Amino acid sequence: MTESLERRIERAMAELRATQAAVARTEKELRNASYGALSSDRAVRVTVGPQGELSGLEFLDGKYRHMSPQELAASVLEAAHLARVEMGRNVMRAMAPFAEGNANVPELKGLEVDWVKLFGPEVLEDPDRPGGTRRGAGAPWRDALGEDGED
């Protein structure tokens, strides 16, 4: 027996309402998101907001005193880049469920998002690949600094 048109519309509307609520929750979470990253020389920590904007800059352990201006600038830029890439990955992960279609209601198609255009190609790279570094909650540098990843 095929499903009635009324029942299909009812189910689609319920799915749409659930999706709208989930999008609203995700948007709220992302508005309050931040991510911090440490430069490889451990001299600088940068925090970025949900749109990759710089929201914090720390010079750690007085290391900057022994750095040339060019070295310090490179450390700041490196940490900012790492934080922006990871924030892009966090946004991508949070929004991924909305980019996929809905198997229960094929009429509700997913969003087509060009993540590379939004965040750059690094956002699609696997941070857990051999030789790669994992940045984020539970990362070794956060443990070493006694941080839990919350900003």
Side-chain angles (χ1 to χ4, degrees):
M1 180 189 293
T2 61
E3 186 177 27
S4 73
L5 181 58
E6 273 183 20
R7 177 67 185 130
R8 287 180 61 202
I9 291 172
E10 183 180 305
R11 191 166 41 103
M13 290 302 296
E15 288 284 337
L16 179 59
R17 284 189 293 275
T19 299
Q20 288 172 325
V23 167
R25 282 191 308 273
T26 302
E27 285 177 343
K28 183 179 178 183
E29 289 172 12
L30 289 175
R31 272 193 303 274
N32 298 315
S34 65
Y35 190 84
L38 187 67
S39 61
S40 60
D41 59 11
R42 303 179 59 84
V44 175
R45 182 171 190 266
V46 168
T47 305
V48 298
Q51 296 178 335
E53 72 279 9
L54 201 63
S55 61
L57 176 60
E58 298 173 66
F59 299 107
L60 306 172
D61 299 331
K63 291 181 180 183
Y64 67 93
R65 291 184 179 119
H66 307 289
M67 299 172 78
S68 71
Q70 295 82 6
E71 290 171 324
L72 182 57
S75 291
V76 169
L77 291 174
E78 176 195 15
H81 174 75
L82 295 174
R84 283 187 184 117
V85 167
E86 195 59 34
M87 181 54 75
R89 287 183 182 136
N90 290 335
V91 170
M92 188 175 76
R93 281 189 292 270
M95 297 303 290
F98 310 116
E100 299 168 359
N102 188 315
N104 296 328
V105 184
E107 294 84 359
L108 292 177
K109 304 221 182 291
L111 304 172
E112 289 188 28
V113 181
D114 186 344
W115 300 114
V116 172
K117 188 175 182 180
L118 285 174
F119 300 116
E122 296 94 344
V123 76
L124 297 179
E125 293 176 5
D126 181 4
D128 294 323
R129 72 181 184 273
T133 56
R134 178 88 171 124
R135 294 169 297 279
W141 63 264
R142 287 190 184 269
D143 295 339
L145 293 175
E147 297 177 0
D148 62 3
E150 296 296 320
D151 292 309

